[in-house]
Amino acid sequence: MNATIATRRLVLLAGLVLSGLGLAGCETTYSADIRNQTPQPLFAEIISFDQWGNAYPMAATRLGPGDRAGLGPVRIKKERTVALQLDTVPNPQRPARVDMRPGVTTVEVTQQGAQTSGPLQVRELQ
């Protein structure tokens, strides 16, 4: 009888360990390396989108003109879409958005025109 109980406990424990390992594989890590080459503060945010398109802010930071900063890492479910959103005030267009892949996404942000109100340009670096 004791051997049967011990075997059941061992099987239950093995099942819990294996299910825990499976859950760890359901998420991945995202981070950003951002270089602000605009003449004004830049607001950066990592956003996760669910299957219905709802946006969830995961991390945010503010960079001064000429600053470089890291954002994240954040752990996000693999089935979600993840984007880096960038904006300044004033920005005559919508915030710039870059789709992210797992790992580090490195971007350089500049502005069109000679004034501080030009549209943002984002270049992904290798």
Side-chain angles (χ1 to χ4, degrees), residues 34 42-46 59-63 69-71:
I34 307 157
L42 178 72
F43 302 93
E45 183 174 40
I46 295 176
T61 192
R62 177 188 177 276
L63 291 82
L71 184 57

Side-chain angles (χ1 to χ4, degrees), residues 23 31 33 36-38 51-52 56 61 66 69 83 85 111 119:
L23 289 176
S31 60
D33 177 7
N36 180 12
Q37 300 300 315
T38 71
Q51 60 193 9
W52 298 282
Y56 299 92
T61 192
Q85 184 166 284
Q111 244 174 332

Side-chain angles (χ1 to χ4, degrees), residues 10-77:
L10 184 60
V11 169
L12 179 61
L13 181 61
L16 289 173
V17 169
L18 289 175
S19 67
L21 291 174
L23 289 176
C26 295
E27 294 182 338
T28 190
T29 303
Y30 295 83
S31 60
D33 177 7
I34 307 157
R35 300 163 191 194
N36 180 12
Q37 300 300 315
T38 71
Q40 61 212 5
L42 178 72
F43 302 93
E45 183 174 40
I46 295 176
I47 301 173
S48 168
F49 297 91
D50 66 15
Q51 60 193 9
W52 298 282
N54 298 316
Y56 299 92
M58 304 303 291
T61 192
R62 177 188 177 276
L63 291 82
D67 284 353
R68 178 179 178 177
L71 184 57
V74 294
R75 292 186 63 77
I76 301 173
K77 293 179 181 178

Side-chain angles (χ1 to χ4, degrees), residues 10 27 62 73 76 81-82 91 94 97 101 107 118 121:
L10 184 60
E27 294 182 338
R62 177 188 177 276
I76 301 173
T81 301
V82 180
N91 177 8
R94 294 183 139 174
R97 190 173 283 172
R101 294 178 303 280
V107 295
Q121 291 183 319

Side-chain angles (χ1 to χ4, degrees), residues 73-125:
V74 294
R75 292 186 63 77
I76 301 173
K77 293 179 181 178
K78 282 187 177 180
E79 66 270 8
R80 292 200 171 185
T81 301
V82 180
L84 177 63
Q85 184 166 284
L86 305 151
D87 202 7
T88 58
V89 177
N91 177 8
Q93 298 180 340
R94 294 183 139 174
R97 190 173 283 172
V98 176
D99 290 333
M100 297 179 74
R101 294 178 303 280
V104 179
T105 300
T106 303
V107 295
E108 180 180 75
V109 184
T110 57
Q111 244 174 332
Q112 289 180 354
Q115 298 180 355
T116 59
S117 61
L120 294 178
Q121 291 183 319
V122 181
R123 183 171 63 111
E124 193 167 347
L125 305 173

